Each structure stands twice: as structure tokens, then as C-alpha cells.
Amino acid sequence: MIEVYNISRTKPATGFGAPTSDPSQQFQAAGQPDPSLALHLAILQPSYFNNENDEVLRKWNQLQAFWGAGKGYYAPNMPPVEFTPENPYCRFKTVCYAKIPSFKNEDGIVQVIMGKSVSDVEPHKSQIISTLSTSIFNGVEVVVEDLYASELPDKTNLRMYVQQIVGTEKQRAPAIEVCRHMGSPSYSQIIKNLCILDVIPLQTMTEAQKKEYLDTPQRGIDPALWEQGKRENPDPKTFLPVVRIGFQELQKQFKYQEEFAKNLHANMDSILEEITQLKHKQTMVKAAIQNAKWKQSNLTRRILKLISAQEVERKRGVPLDQTEEQIRMRLEDLYLQLMQPTQYRGCLNELMAQMSVKPGNSKGNQRFGLVGDVEKEVTQYVARQQDALRAVVAVLKEDLQTIDTMTEEIKRKS
């Protein structure tokens, strides 16, 4: 915020050689007013009426200076001060940030500013490219990257580069050479017929240029505000502070921000929609993978049955070898043991009888007693043994059923 101080008038000194206290009299004596001093006098100490009306005039001049438009009168017979948005008292100004261009001279990209609107240039785009290629660049290929409206009214920006075949590869001409070639006096009439106003090479700033830009406050900006803008730069390597002065520029900046926010929201919505579609596809792929696993498991069982049947058919009439005989004997032994549950039942009854004996009930049986923790462990162990036996029985029954099925199939085939 700009503070305005009221400077009280002082009585003129008397005597020979005394200085004149009224600055307007100094201007009248000098003939040509200093623009900076005239601006400050119009805002701080106008002496146009030399009465109480000067206070009203001072406030009116301040209002015009804050707005950035109008004329400020400060002394009779002196030209008024033109208040523009560039004056240091204008309130419609701020510091924004712009991305540093990443173009290089080797990229060869130049920006052509044309004095027509986009609607007038777009239909003749191919004709402009053909004229540039044949009349200026001697048939070398001209490629237009982008065509968009300029910030200035009825202006169009055209980004292009020139490339030529060197050996077997295409090589771009440097941007500075393209601009120098197009700025040749021999092509001035062609440039004028194409309504080309200016050609600018697009290339990034050097460190010296960046330092010079940052060290020099921009037009109409307070140095303190410029320093604050440099300190608050979110990314000094990527962005540069840019001054926006005047109501129109601020309105344009707000418009750009709204458009960028809308584009950002549109991109986020499209990304969200793509994420939703990918999640749906992921669910479908998981279901397909699970279905494939089930099919693979069924095919594995069928293949195993087929191999078993084939092996049985192949070894029909062949005596069992030593390993197969041992497996057969073990299976028969397990089957006989499972068919006689009284043996295990008697062992369990004996174990339960031993568990029921508590330590200290009789002198002869004290050493056979079980404490609580050991009793729980034994119970768990017995339960696990019982579950294991049930699983073995189930496997044996399934194997026997499979063997019977295979035998029936073999008999049916024979």
C-alpha cells in the first residue's frame, strides 16, 4: 500500500537571493517541468488555486493516480500531468510468474506475428507455408507447429521451423539464422504481402540476461514490490516474475487463470475417468485369471487321470518292482490298522486313565500324573493325530475309488 504524506506550505523567505518555496514558480521560471517532480507535486502539493480548493484538487489527483487514468493539474500556466497505469501510485498492478521458455537456438523455432486475426489467417495457412517455402527459403520445407491468437487485438502468432535434408537426416535451421534470413531487405515486399509484422527467435534466456532482468525493476513497479515478488517466487529455476499493470491486464490475467483452471479440471476429470476404466479392466482381468486357474486345475486332474490310466495299461501283466511292492505293503498295513479302531481306542482309554490321575492321589502313581500345561499339549497332539488320520482315510478312500474307476475303464476297453 502506498502512503501519501501531506507537505505543509511554508511562507516565502524574504530578502535578496532567498529561494522560492512554491515549486510551480520554479517550473515557470525553468520553463520545462520535470515529469517525476510534476507527478509528485500534483499528488502531494498542488498550488493551482492557492486557496482551500487545492486540498480538493490534491485528493482528486490522488484518486486519478490510484486509478491510473486522467490528468492532474498542479500549477497555473503549466501542462497537466498524464496519469497512466505505469505511474508508481497506480493500485492496479501486481507481480505474477511466467514459465521460462525452454527453447534452444538449435530447435529452430521462431514466432511470426501476423497483422490479421486467426479467422483470417487459418483458411490461408497452406498458402502462407507454400509462399514461405518457395519464395523465401528456396524450396526448403517449412513446418508450422502452432497457430493461435495473440494477446494484441487482430494479431496472430504462428510458430514454425525450417528443416532441410542433410545427408540422410533432416536437420533444422537455427532460429537466429531463420530470423536473419527472413529479415533480409530482399524479402521485405514478400513479408509485407503476407502481413508479417515481426519474427522473433524463441530461445531460453542466458544467466546474464536473467540476472539483468531480475536486477532491473519493471515499468511502474515499486522496487520493494519487485523484490518481494522475487523472494516469493515458488521456483526460481522455472519461473520469472512478470508485472501486470492496469485494469485490463489484471482482467486478462484473471481470464487466463480461469481458463487454466477449467483446463486443469477437464484434465483431472479425464484422468479420473481413465482410472475408473482401468479399475474395471483390472477387475475383469482378475476374474479371467481366476477362471484360467480353475480351468488349469481341471485340466491337470484330467491329465493326471489319463497318465495314470495309460501307465496302468502300459504295465498290465508286468510284475511290480521293489519300490512299488514296498508302497503296496505300506498301504495295506495302513488300511489294516485303520480297519481295527479298537487298538487306537484302547490306547486312548489308557491315556485318558493316566490323565485322570492327579499328582498326590497315591504314592505309587505320583510320577504318572500330568500337570495342566502338559495335559493341554497332549490333548492338542491327540487332536492333530486324529485329524491326520481322518485326512489319510479320506485320501485312501479317494485313491481306492480312483483305482476302481480306472479298473472299470480298463475292463470296459479290454
Side-chain angles (χ1 to χ4, degrees):
M1 182 175 181
I2 302 173
E3 297 182 357
V4 180
Y5 298 92
N6 185 12
I7 302 177
S8 60
R9 299 188 182 91
T10 57
K11 296 182 179 180
T14 58
F16 180 79
T20 304
S21 61
D22 192 354
S24 61
Q25 298 179 6
Q26 297 179 9
F27 285 149
Q28 293 174 2
Q32 292 295 333
D34 183 11
S36 178
L37 186 55
L39 174 65
H40 287 81
L41 285 175
I43 293 176
L44 302 177
Q45 190 182 356
S47 57
Y48 193 84
F49 301 101
N50 292 322
N51 54 25
E52 63 274 4
N53 294 329
D54 287 340
E55 182 66 20
V56 180
L57 182 61
R58 180 178 69 86
K59 293 181 179 180
W60 173 245
N61 290 341
Q62 290 179 6
L63 180 61
Q64 293 183 101
F66 295 161
W67 180 261
K71 296 180 179 181
Y73 294 89
Y74 61 94
N77 301 324
M78 298 299 295
V81 178
E82 291 285 345
F83 293 117
T84 61
E86 285 78 9
N87 79 83
Y89 297 101
C90 181
R91 297 294 182 87
F92 293 98
K93 61 181 64 176
T94 186
V95 177
C96 304
Y97 300 96
K99 186 177 180 181
I100 301 175
S102 58
F103 299 104
K104 298 179 181 179
N105 186 34
E106 293 78 11
D107 297 335
I109 300 176
V110 298
Q111 182 164 315
V112 179
I113 301 176
M114 307 188 70
K116 289 185 178 181
S117 61
V118 178
S119 59
D120 296 334
V121 175
E122 186 69 29
H124 305 284
K125 178 180 176 181
S126 58
Q127 183 179 355
I128 293 172
I129 296 174
S130 176
T131 303
L132 290 173
S133 177
T134 57
S135 301
I136 297 180
F137 297 103
N138 299 324
V140 179
E141 183 181 5
V142 176
V143 181
V144 175
E145 277 194 341
D146 197 3
L147 182 69
Y148 58 95
S150 175
E151 295 182 0
L152 301 175
D154 297 331
K155 298 292 187 299
T156 302
N157 290 336
L158 185 145
R159 288 187 179 180
M160 52 167 269
Y161 61 88
V162 179
Q163 64 180 6
Q164 55 186 350
I165 298 177
V166 179
T168 57
E169 297 181 356
K170 292 184 178 181
Q171 185 176 357
R172 296 186 183 184
I176 296 178
E177 293 185 5
V178 173
C179 293
R180 187 183 299 113
H181 184 76
M182 293 181 68
S184 177
S186 58
Y187 304 120
S188 59
Q189 187 61 36
I190 301 175
I191 296 296
K192 184 178 180 180
N193 294 336
L194 294 176
C195 297
I196 296 176
L197 302 179
D198 195 6
V199 181
I200 303 172
L202 297 182
Q203 54 183 350
T204 187
M205 300 174 64
T206 62
E207 292 298 329
Q209 292 174 342
K210 189 186 301 183
K211 185 178 184 303
E212 182 181 359
Y213 176 81
L214 294 176
D215 292 343
T216 305
Q218 300 302 302
R219 56 187 176 91
I221 195 73
D222 187 19
L225 182 61
W226 181 251
E227 293 296 330
Q228 180 183 357
K230 291 194 295 184
R231 290 195 304 269
E232 296 178 356
N233 191 347
D235 189 359
K237 295 182 179 179
T238 306
F239 300 103
L240 279 178
V242 179
V243 178
R244 291 286 184 258
I245 297 178
F247 183 79
Q248 294 181 352
E249 289 192 7
L250 293 179
Q251 187 180 17
K252 190 181 297 182
Q253 182 69 24
F254 291 149
K255 182 180 178 181
Y256 290 158
Q257 291 179 355
E258 290 178 357
E259 292 178 355
F260 181 78
K262 289 181 181 179
N263 294 333
L264 186 61
H265 283 296
N267 293 334
M268 292 177 65
D269 293 339
S270 62
I271 292 173
L272 183 62
E273 185 178 358
E274 291 180 0
I275 291 174
T276 305
Q277 294 178 359
L278 290 175
K279 285 184 178 179
H280 179 68
K281 291 181 180 179
Q282 183 182 12
T283 305
M284 298 296 294
V285 169
K286 285 184 178 180
I289 291 174
Q290 188 65 29
N291 190 16
K293 287 183 179 180
W294 290 340
K295 290 182 179 179
Q296 182 183 9
S297 178
N298 293 332
L299 290 174
T300 303
R301 294 191 186 96
R302 292 176 62 183
I303 291 173
L304 182 60
K305 290 181 180 180
L306 180 61
I307 293 175
S308 300
Q310 184 179 4
E311 190 70 13
V312 170
E313 185 66 23
R314 186 177 67 85
K315 290 189 176 182
R316 178 181 294 276
V318 179
L320 299 176
D321 56 10
Q322 184 177 1
T323 303
E324 293 175 345
E325 185 66 25
Q326 291 177 358
I327 294 173
R328 185 186 67 78
M329 293 176 63
R330 290 180 61 185
L331 291 175
E332 289 181 355
D333 188 19
L334 287 173
Y335 180 75
L336 292 175
Q337 291 180 8
L338 292 174
M339 295 301 293
Q340 298 176 1
T342 55
Q343 178 182 359
Y344 293 100
R345 189 177 302 169
C347 294
L348 291 174
N349 291 333
E350 183 180 358
L351 182 61
M352 293 297 295
Q354 292 178 0
M355 291 172 58
S356 62
V357 179
K358 302 295 182 182
N361 291 342
S362 61
K363 295 182 179 179
N365 295 329
Q366 288 181 358
R367 59 192 183 92
F368 299 105
L370 297 175
V371 297
D373 296 338
V374 178
E375 183 178 353
K376 291 180 181 180
E377 292 180 0
V378 172
T379 304
Q380 292 177 359
Y381 178 76
V382 173
R384 292 173 183 172
Q385 290 291 337
Q386 187 175 3
D387 294 339
L389 290 174
R390 288 177 181 174
V392 171
V393 171
V395 172
L396 287 175
K397 288 182 178 180
E398 184 178 358
D399 291 343
L400 291 174
Q401 187 177 1
T402 304
I403 292 173
D404 294 339
T405 304
M406 293 171 59
T407 304
E408 291 178 1
E409 291 180 357
I410 293 171
K411 289 180 179 180
R412 193 183 301 111
K413 290 180 181 180
S414 59

Short mmCIF file of all heavy atoms in Angstrom, two decimals, residues 37 71 89 99 101 118 124 146 160 164 167 182 185 189 201 342 359 378 380 384 386 402 411:
data_model
loop_
_atom_site.label_atom_id
_atom_site.label_comp_id
_atom_site.label_asym_id
_atom_site.label_seq_id
_atom_site.Cartn_x
_atom_site.Cartn_y
_atom_site.Cartn_z
N LEU A 37 8.99 15.13 -10.83
CA LEU A 37 8.65 16.12 -9.82
C LEU A 37 7.25 16.65 -10.03
O LEU A 37 6.51 16.91 -9.07
CB LEU A 37 9.67 17.25 -9.85
CG LEU A 37 9.55 18.31 -8.75
CD1 LEU A 37 9.58 17.67 -7.37
CD2 LEU A 37 10.64 19.36 -8.88
N LYS A 71 -5.94 13.40 -15.86
CA LYS A 71 -4.94 14.46 -15.88
C LYS A 71 -4.90 15.14 -14.52
O LYS A 71 -5.94 15.37 -13.91
CB LYS A 71 -5.26 15.48 -16.97
CG LYS A 71 -5.21 14.92 -18.38
CD LYS A 71 -5.52 16.00 -19.40
CE LYS A 71 -5.46 15.43 -20.83
NZ LYS A 71 -5.74 16.48 -21.85
N TYR A 89 2.05 5.28 -8.37
CA TYR A 89 0.95 5.32 -7.41
C TYR A 89 -0.26 4.50 -7.86
O TYR A 89 -1.24 4.40 -7.13
CB TYR A 89 0.51 6.76 -7.18
CG TYR A 89 1.58 7.62 -6.57
CD1 TYR A 89 2.32 8.51 -7.36
CD2 TYR A 89 1.87 7.56 -5.22
CE1 TYR A 89 3.31 9.30 -6.81
CE2 TYR A 89 2.86 8.35 -4.66
CZ TYR A 89 3.58 9.22 -5.46
OH TYR A 89 4.55 10.00 -4.90
N LYS A 99 6.46 -18.95 -16.94
CA LYS A 99 7.43 -20.03 -17.12
C LYS A 99 8.54 -19.60 -18.07
O LYS A 99 8.29 -18.98 -19.11
CB LYS A 99 6.73 -21.27 -17.67
CG LYS A 99 7.64 -22.49 -17.74
CD LYS A 99 6.88 -23.71 -18.22
CE LYS A 99 7.79 -24.93 -18.29
NZ LYS A 99 7.07 -26.11 -18.79
N PRO A 101 10.97 -19.93 -20.94
CA PRO A 101 10.94 -20.78 -22.15
C PRO A 101 12.13 -21.72 -22.19
O PRO A 101 13.25 -21.37 -21.82
CB PRO A 101 10.96 -19.77 -23.31
CG PRO A 101 11.55 -18.53 -22.72
CD PRO A 101 11.12 -18.49 -21.28
N VAL A 118 -7.00 -14.67 -36.32
CA VAL A 118 -6.86 -16.11 -36.59
C VAL A 118 -7.87 -16.56 -37.64
O VAL A 118 -7.57 -17.39 -38.50
CB VAL A 118 -7.03 -16.90 -35.28
CG1 VAL A 118 -6.95 -18.40 -35.53
CG2 VAL A 118 -5.97 -16.50 -34.27
N HIS A 124 -5.90 -19.55 -45.06
CA HIS A 124 -4.78 -19.38 -45.99
C HIS A 124 -3.47 -19.96 -45.40
O HIS A 124 -2.39 -19.55 -45.83
CB HIS A 124 -4.58 -17.90 -46.31
CG HIS A 124 -5.82 -17.23 -46.83
ND1 HIS A 124 -6.29 -17.41 -48.12
CD2 HIS A 124 -6.70 -16.39 -46.22
CE1 HIS A 124 -7.40 -16.70 -48.29
NE2 HIS A 124 -7.67 -16.06 -47.15
N ASP A 146 2.26 -24.40 -34.47
CA ASP A 146 1.06 -23.91 -33.79
C ASP A 146 0.61 -22.60 -34.42
O ASP A 146 1.43 -21.84 -34.95
CB ASP A 146 1.35 -23.71 -32.30
CG ASP A 146 0.09 -23.61 -31.47
OD1 ASP A 146 -1.01 -23.76 -32.06
OD2 ASP A 146 0.17 -23.38 -30.25
N MET A 160 6.82 -21.75 -36.15
CA MET A 160 7.27 -22.57 -37.27
C MET A 160 8.76 -22.84 -37.14
O MET A 160 9.45 -22.23 -36.33
CB MET A 160 6.99 -21.86 -38.60
CG MET A 160 7.52 -20.44 -38.65
SD MET A 160 7.55 -19.71 -40.29
CE MET A 160 9.18 -20.17 -40.83
N GLN A 164 15.83 -28.97 -43.40
CA GLN A 164 16.36 -29.39 -44.69
C GLN A 164 17.06 -30.73 -44.52
O GLN A 164 17.46 -31.11 -43.41
CB GLN A 164 17.32 -28.35 -45.24
CG GLN A 164 18.46 -28.00 -44.30
CD GLN A 164 19.30 -26.87 -44.82
OE1 GLN A 164 19.16 -26.47 -45.96
NE2 GLN A 164 20.20 -26.37 -43.99
N GLY A 167 22.43 -35.01 -45.87
CA GLY A 167 22.80 -36.43 -45.97
C GLY A 167 21.55 -37.28 -46.04
O GLY A 167 20.79 -37.22 -47.01
N MET A 182 14.87 -14.12 -42.92
CA MET A 182 13.56 -13.52 -43.22
C MET A 182 13.60 -12.00 -43.12
O MET A 182 12.79 -11.30 -43.74
CB MET A 182 12.49 -14.08 -42.27
CG MET A 182 12.20 -15.55 -42.46
SD MET A 182 10.91 -16.17 -41.36
CE MET A 182 9.48 -15.31 -42.00
N PRO A 185 16.50 -7.43 -46.58
CA PRO A 185 15.73 -6.43 -47.36
C PRO A 185 15.17 -6.98 -48.67
O PRO A 185 14.16 -6.46 -49.18
CB PRO A 185 16.75 -5.32 -47.60
CG PRO A 185 17.78 -5.49 -46.53
CD PRO A 185 17.86 -6.96 -46.27
N GLN A 189 9.24 -7.10 -49.37
CA GLN A 189 7.94 -6.99 -50.04
C GLN A 189 7.11 -8.25 -49.83
O GLN A 189 5.89 -8.19 -49.61
CB GLN A 189 8.16 -6.74 -51.53
CG GLN A 189 6.87 -6.45 -52.29
CD GLN A 189 6.17 -5.20 -51.79
OE1 GLN A 189 6.81 -4.22 -51.41
NE2 GLN A 189 4.83 -5.23 -51.78
N PRO A 201 12.98 -15.04 -32.69
CA PRO A 201 13.52 -16.38 -32.40
C PRO A 201 13.19 -16.79 -30.97
O PRO A 201 13.37 -16.02 -30.02
CB PRO A 201 15.03 -16.19 -32.60
CG PRO A 201 15.26 -14.74 -32.33
CD PRO A 201 14.03 -14.01 -32.76
N THR A 342 -10.25 -100.58 17.43
CA THR A 342 -10.21 -100.91 18.86
C THR A 342 -8.82 -100.72 19.43
O THR A 342 -8.67 -100.38 20.61
CB THR A 342 -10.67 -102.36 19.06
OG1 THR A 342 -9.84 -103.21 18.23
CG2 THR A 342 -12.13 -102.52 18.62
N PRO A 359 -1.55 -85.59 40.60
CA PRO A 359 -0.37 -85.73 41.47
C PRO A 359 -0.79 -85.65 42.93
O PRO A 359 -1.57 -84.79 43.34
CB PRO A 359 0.50 -84.53 41.10
CG PRO A 359 0.02 -84.11 39.75
CD PRO A 359 -1.42 -84.44 39.71
N VAL A 378 -0.89 -82.51 25.30
CA VAL A 378 -1.23 -83.87 24.89
C VAL A 378 -2.57 -83.89 24.16
O VAL A 378 -2.75 -84.57 23.14
CB VAL A 378 -1.25 -84.80 26.12
CG1 VAL A 378 -1.79 -86.19 25.75
CG2 VAL A 378 0.16 -84.95 26.70
N GLN A 380 -3.95 -81.45 22.48
CA GLN A 380 -3.76 -80.88 21.15
C GLN A 380 -3.07 -81.86 20.22
O GLN A 380 -3.42 -81.99 19.04
CB GLN A 380 -2.96 -79.58 21.23
CG GLN A 380 -3.69 -78.45 21.93
CD GLN A 380 -2.84 -77.22 22.06
OE1 GLN A 380 -1.68 -77.22 21.65
NE2 GLN A 380 -3.40 -76.16 22.64
N ARG A 384 -4.60 -83.41 16.78
CA ARG A 384 -3.91 -83.32 15.49
C ARG A 384 -3.73 -84.70 14.86
O ARG A 384 -3.87 -84.86 13.64
CB ARG A 384 -2.56 -82.65 15.67
CG ARG A 384 -2.65 -81.17 16.03
CD ARG A 384 -1.30 -80.60 16.36
NE ARG A 384 -1.40 -79.20 16.78
CZ ARG A 384 -0.38 -78.50 17.28
NH1 ARG A 384 0.81 -79.10 17.42
NH2 ARG A 384 -0.55 -77.24 17.63
N GLN A 386 -5.64 -87.26 15.32
CA GLN A 386 -6.94 -87.70 14.83
C GLN A 386 -7.28 -87.02 13.50
O GLN A 386 -7.79 -87.68 12.58
CB GLN A 386 -8.01 -87.37 15.88
CG GLN A 386 -9.38 -87.95 15.55
CD GLN A 386 -10.37 -87.70 16.66
OE1 GLN A 386 -10.05 -87.06 17.65
NE2 GLN A 386 -11.59 -88.21 16.51
N THR A 402 -10.61 -94.04 -7.13
CA THR A 402 -9.97 -93.78 -8.41
C THR A 402 -9.45 -95.06 -9.05
O THR A 402 -9.59 -95.28 -10.27
CB THR A 402 -8.82 -92.79 -8.23
OG1 THR A 402 -9.30 -91.60 -7.61
CG2 THR A 402 -8.17 -92.43 -9.55
N LYS A 411 -11.29 -102.53 -17.88
CA LYS A 411 -12.08 -103.73 -18.22
C LYS A 411 -13.00 -103.43 -19.40
O LYS A 411 -13.19 -104.26 -20.28
CB LYS A 411 -12.90 -104.18 -17.02
CG LYS A 411 -12.02 -104.78 -15.92
CD LYS A 411 -12.90 -105.22 -14.73
CE LYS A 411 -12.05 -105.85 -13.62
NZ LYS A 411 -12.89 -106.27 -12.47
#
